[in-house]
Amino acid sequence: MAPWIIYGALMLAACILHQFAALALVVHAFAVPDYARRTWAYTALLAATGVAPLAALGMAQSGQVAWIDGVTGSEYQRFAILASFAMVLSQFASSGNAGKVSPEVPFSLRAIAMPLFILPTALLMLISLYKPFYVERYVLYSLVGLALLLGAALDRMLGPGRNLRVTAAIAVTSAIALLIPESLDLRTPDSRSDNVTDLAIVLSREYAPGDGILYLSAKRRAWSLAYPSVNRGMSDLAQELTPAASHDLYGTELPSPQIRERMRSSARILAVTEPEGVRAESNGTEVMKKRILEEYFTKDRTIKIDGARVIIYEPRKTATEAELTVS
């Protein structure tokens, strides 16, 4: 009984720290031996019950992750390729130690590694068809399954008569050679899909007194949180309450008539929106913002940065103003 108490406590702690760790319970359902299924089910139910209040609170605040978009075709493709690779590794390693079962270890490495790698990602992608929640790092722990399969395949390759030291040295050197460039790249601003640093620089450089900042859509206001000092003093045309005051990432927006009035009275508008080819949120307020921009403003220029665009709009001149400018 003691091992199950420890297991339940660890699962509860993991789920409290990271709610998507609960997907690992589904993985364990595939690996647990038949004779232990009932005990496991009771333990898993207790862990799920313990984390349920936090899960309910998290769902009530799911607007905090409204920035997550649906799963893209390239993400499906990448996962399918890796899953196929894992299946090949599993077949290759199954006749070695990865497929062995013993009284001390009543399930095989393969039985836990394959579900661990496949199921958390697959389940989160399925959930995202209903509500987008899929971000690769949320189920990063599933890569442990792939690492186990790779280790099992390497173990089988190092059979009798093979030079263990030479093979291990080659494997380690190759891994380092492959991982160091990727690791260095991950530490650069360009590795992020949203380069909020460049956005802050652009807004700071382009903004002038009398201008207004307009976020298309409202959830993109979260980009401004990384550099609050930059946006301080800038006129956010649609904002009624700041993110801090409204206790969320996006703030509270004004009613449409007031946003329209603020837009019409702006010397210029710096519209912050999605990168080209990405469809922005579309609701009544966002449609109104775009309609006012089209009717009363003209595009001056567009500044592209990683993950966003800043489009600068000038007020559309009336026929009388145009004549005066010419004369």
Side-chain angles (χ1 to χ4, degrees):
M1 184 57 67
W4 287 110
I5 294 174
I6 295 171
Y7 168 79
L10 288 174
M11 281 306 309
L12 178 60
C15 292
I16 289 173
L17 292 172
H18 177 42
Q19 291 181 39
F20 289 129
L23 297 174
L25 285 171
V26 183
V27 174
H28 299 162
F30 282 80
V32 69
D34 290 339
Y35 67 83
R37 283 192 178 278
R38 178 173 294 183
T39 307
W40 171 83
Y42 289 146
T43 307
L45 181 61
L46 288 173
T49 302
V51 80
L54 180 62
L57 180 63
M59 287 304 298
Q61 298 181 1
S62 61
Q64 302 280 18
V65 289
W67 55 269
I68 300 176
D69 297 315
V71 184
T72 64
S74 61
E75 287 172 325
Y76 282 123
Q77 184 180 30
R78 181 175 180 274
F79 176 62
I81 292 171
L82 285 174
S84 300
F85 178 57
M87 290 177 186
V88 172
L89 284 174
S90 177
Q91 291 299 320
F92 177 74
S94 61
S95 60
N97 292 331
K100 292 181 179 179
V101 176
S102 67
E104 294 79 15
V105 183
F107 56 86
S108 67
L109 181 146
R110 179 189 179 192
I112 186 68
M114 274 299 292
L116 179 58
F117 178 63
I118 300 291
L119 288 178
T121 301
L123 289 171
L124 193 55
M125 284 182 167
L126 286 173
I127 292 169
S128 295
L129 294 175
Y130 166 71
K131 184 174 180 61
F133 276 132
Y134 176 74
V135 177
E136 188 178 30
R137 64 178 177 271
Y138 290 173
V139 285
L140 196 62
Y141 61 85
S142 66
L143 288 176
V144 173
L146 184 60
L148 289 171
L149 290 173
L150 283 168
L154 182 62
D155 177 70
R156 188 179 172 199
M157 289 170 60
L158 300 175
R162 307 286 177 90
N163 191 320
L164 174 61
R165 291 183 180 178
V166 172
T167 306
I170 292 173
V172 171
T173 303
S174 301
I176 291 174
L178 290 170
L179 292 175
I180 283 182
E182 180 73 12
S183 179
L184 293 175
D185 182 64
L186 285 172
R187 285 160 175 76
T188 64
D190 292 338
S191 69
R192 302 294 296 172
S193 57
D194 301 330
N195 192 337
V196 295
T197 302
D198 275 0
L199 177 61
I201 292 171
V202 168
L203 293 179
S204 178
R205 183 184 68 224
E206 299 295 334
Y207 185 86
D211 291 348
I213 307 293
L214 188 69
Y215 290 96
L216 308 170
S217 62
K219 68 182 183 180
R220 293 310 176 195
R221 187 173 285 108
W223 287 339
S224 66
L225 297 180
Y227 295 93
S229 60
V230 171
N231 291 76
R232 191 175 296 122
M234 294 184 181
S235 174
D236 187 332
L237 298 175
Q239 180 176 266
E240 182 177 25
L241 294 176
T242 65
S246 59
H247 304 292
D248 64 22
L249 289 175
Y250 316 116
T252 303
E253 297 214 324
L254 292 162
S256 293
Q258 291 179 253
I259 298 174
R260 186 186 303 114
E261 183 180 345
R262 286 188 175 190
M263 290 176 67
R264 292 289 309 277
S265 62
S266 295
R268 291 187 313 164
I269 291 179
L270 279 62
V272 181
T273 187
E274 311 279 359
E276 204 165 356
V278 177
R279 188 171 65 180
E281 181 181 348
S282 182
N283 56 39
T285 302
E286 300 306 324
V287 170
M288 181 277 298
K289 292 176 185 177
K290 293 172 185 175
R291 188 178 69 248
I292 297 299
L293 289 173
E294 291 173 359
E295 291 180 3
Y296 299 100
F297 293 84
T298 58
K299 287 183 182 180
D300 177 41
R301 56 201 168 92
T302 299
I303 303 172
K304 297 179 181 180
I305 58 178
D306 287 342
R309 287 178 296 160
V310 177
I311 306 174
I312 300 177
Y313 286 89
E314 298 276 358
R316 191 184 297 275
K317 293 181 179 179
T318 64
T320 304
E321 289 173 332
E323 289 174 5
L324 290 173
T325 301
V326 172
S327 61

